[in-house]
């Protein structure tokens, strides 16, 4: 009996000492994790500080905005700035134009980039690597270098002062970066599904549309969200192609509040806050798919 009880007491001591070690080793880990969380909270507040100031400035007067110092909380919350943004300028038309252009351009860029990426990743054609490399080279070509020939082309087509120069080009390829991201995702999918569908007699269009494309929803969400934000915030293209005040977009329209003879900062801040709402809502809804798509594609932007 003594021989049987000894090991049990030692095991309890060992368990007790082990628990003490766990407790001792857990304290530094808790401290490190707490310090990490506090650092992340501080950095998050630092990055969010311009947005907090902008949100607070949307309820201020021009005199309060230009006051020196960091005044995040206004003296009195003025909702009149948001009302004036709709009364003094066609803010609703600018919002509709931006939403119309961003939605159609995003749909075109997402679908066309997925279609091109499927060809580069799944279809084994001769010279596909060369063509894919040439497509990536276009990333280094700035938009300003192509602005004049594009303007001449669209003027001959009669598309000036219309939204089509901002929408139609994205339906032909969708951009080199979007093709690259979708290609990386397609290469990570099991190609046995494609081979099995080919054996069953499915066409390539059906394989792409009904089998492979539904599997790429996380990557499609990443492309759609990034491209929507890019088009929504685009300033140069609408400035060049949309010359009428009623047909322009939000970034160009809001810039009219800051001109040589007029600086109405309160309405500008209120309009900017309202322009941020679709982006915040879109990112909040698609956040889970964005993180999953970036992780699976192995691409960080």
């Amino acid at each position: 009996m003594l021989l049987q009880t000894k090991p049990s007491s030692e095991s309890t001591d060992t368990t007790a000492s082990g628990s003490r070690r766990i407790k001792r080793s857990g304290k530094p880990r808790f401290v490190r994790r707490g310090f990490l969380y506090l650092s992340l909270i501080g950095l998050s507040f630092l990055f969010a500080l311009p947005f907090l100031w902008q949100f607070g400035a949307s309820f201020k007067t021009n005199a309060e905005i230009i006051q020196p110092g960091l005044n995040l909380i206004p003296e009195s919350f003025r909702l009149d700035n948001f009302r004036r943004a709709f009364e003094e300028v066609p803010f609703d038309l600018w919002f509709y134009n931006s939403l119309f252009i961003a939605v159609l351009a995003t749909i075109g860029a997402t679908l066309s980039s997925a279609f091109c990426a499927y060809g580069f990743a799944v279809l084994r054609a001769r010279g596909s690597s060369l063509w894919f490399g040439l497509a990536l080279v276009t990333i280094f070509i700035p938009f300003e270098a192509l602005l004049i020939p594009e303007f001449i082309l669209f003027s001959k087509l009669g598309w000036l002062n219309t939204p089509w120069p901002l929408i139609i080009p994205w339906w032909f390829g969708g951009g080199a970066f979007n093709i690259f991201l979708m290609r990386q995702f397609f290469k990570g999918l099991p190609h046995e599904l494609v081979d099995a569908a080919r054996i069953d007699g499915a066409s390539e269009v059906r394989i792409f549309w009904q089998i492979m494309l539904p599997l790429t929803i996380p990557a499609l969400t990443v492309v759609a969200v990034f491209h929507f934000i890019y088009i929504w915030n685009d300033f140069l293209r609408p400035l060049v192609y949309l010359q009428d005040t009623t047909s322009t977009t939000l970034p160009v329209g809001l810039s009219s509040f800051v001109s040589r003879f007029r600086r109405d900062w309160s309405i500008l801040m209120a309009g900017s806050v309202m322009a941020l709402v679709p982006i915040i809502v879109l990112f909040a809804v698609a956040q889970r798919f964005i993180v999953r798509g970036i992780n699976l594609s192995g691409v960080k932007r």
Side-chain angles (χ1 to χ4, degrees):
M1 294 296 293
L2 292 175
L3 293 175
Q4 292 177 356
T5 55
K6 242 180 182 179
S8 62
S9 62
E10 289 176 358
S11 62
T12 55
D13 293 337
T14 305
T15 307
S17 62
S19 64
R20 291 192 199 100
R21 290 195 195 97
I22 292 174
K23 289 180 180 179
R24 291 196 194 99
S25 62
K27 288 181 180 178
R29 184 179 180 184
F30 176 77
V31 173
R32 289 195 300 267
R33 182 169 293 181
F35 178 75
L36 177 62
Y37 287 162
L38 290 177
S39 302
L40 292 177
I41 292 173
L43 290 175
S44 301
F45 177 78
L46 183 63
F47 281 104
L49 188 60
F51 299 100
L52 296 176
W53 183 89
Q54 180 184 8
F55 181 76
S58 63
F59 298 96
K60 298 179 181 178
T61 61
N62 288 329
E64 291 182 65
I65 293 176
I66 63 177
Q67 285 180 357
L70 186 62
N71 303 319
L72 295 179
I73 302 176
E75 296 178 0
S76 61
F77 288 85
R78 294 168 50 89
L79 297 176
D80 186 60
N81 296 333
F82 296 91
R83 179 183 60 81
R84 291 171 57 202
F86 285 94
E87 291 181 352
E88 297 190 10
V89 295
F91 187 87
D92 52 348
L93 288 178
W94 295 347
F95 192 92
Y96 171 77
N97 295 334
S98 295
L99 189 64
F100 177 77
I101 293 173
V103 169
L104 291 185
T106 300
I107 294 175
T110 305
L111 293 179
S112 61
S113 62
F115 190 78
C116 295
Y118 176 82
F120 286 128
V122 178
L123 301 179
R124 300 176 180 87
R126 180 175 297 179
S128 59
S129 299
L130 175 62
W131 290 109
F132 178 69
L134 292 177
L136 290 182
V137 171
T138 60
I139 297 178
F140 302 100
I141 301 176
F143 165 71
E144 293 77 8
L146 304 175
L147 181 59
I148 295 178
E150 283 187 1
F151 185 85
I152 295 174
L153 173 63
F154 293 137
S155 63
K156 290 183 179 296
L157 292 175
W159 286 2
L160 295 183
N161 206 26
T162 65
W164 306 125
L166 308 175
I167 298 174
I168 299 301
W170 295 112
W171 285 80
F172 295 92
F177 179 82
N178 296 335
I179 295 174
F180 172 73
L181 192 147
M182 293 300 302
R183 177 181 178 270
Q184 295 297 110
F185 197 91
F186 273 119
K187 289 180 71 69
L189 296 178
H191 287 198
E192 290 80 5
L193 297 174
V194 179
D195 296 336
R198 287 172 180 169
I199 293 174
D200 291 338
S203 62
E204 293 295 336
V205 176
R206 185 176 181 183
I207 294 173
F208 166 75
W209 190 256
Q210 295 185 357
I211 298 176
M212 301 298 287
L213 193 63
L215 298 176
T216 62
I217 290 179
L220 290 174
T221 306
V222 173
V223 171
V225 171
F226 284 163
H227 196 78
F228 182 89
I229 295 174
Y230 172 75
I231 298 297
W232 184 266
N233 296 327
D234 192 13
F235 179 82
L236 183 58
R237 285 184 175 90
L239 180 65
V240 173
Y241 296 117
L242 302 178
Q243 302 167 357
D244 190 4
T245 306
T246 58
S247 63
T248 190
T249 57
L250 271 177
V252 180
L254 292 176
S255 66
S256 63
F257 291 114
V258 184
S259 60
R260 183 178 177 183
F261 303 102
R262 182 187 182 189
R263 295 183 182 273
D264 201 338
W265 297 106
S266 58
I267 303 181
L268 177 62
M269 292 297 107
S272 300
V273 168
M274 288 188 289
L276 282 175
V277 172
I279 297 177
I280 295 175
V281 172
L282 179 64
F283 189 83
V285 171
Q287 182 179 7
R288 179 169 58 91
F289 293 101
I290 292 174
V291 175
R292 183 184 175 191
I294 292 177
N295 291 334
L296 294 178
S297 60
V299 178
K300 294 184 179 180
R301 187 175 187 177

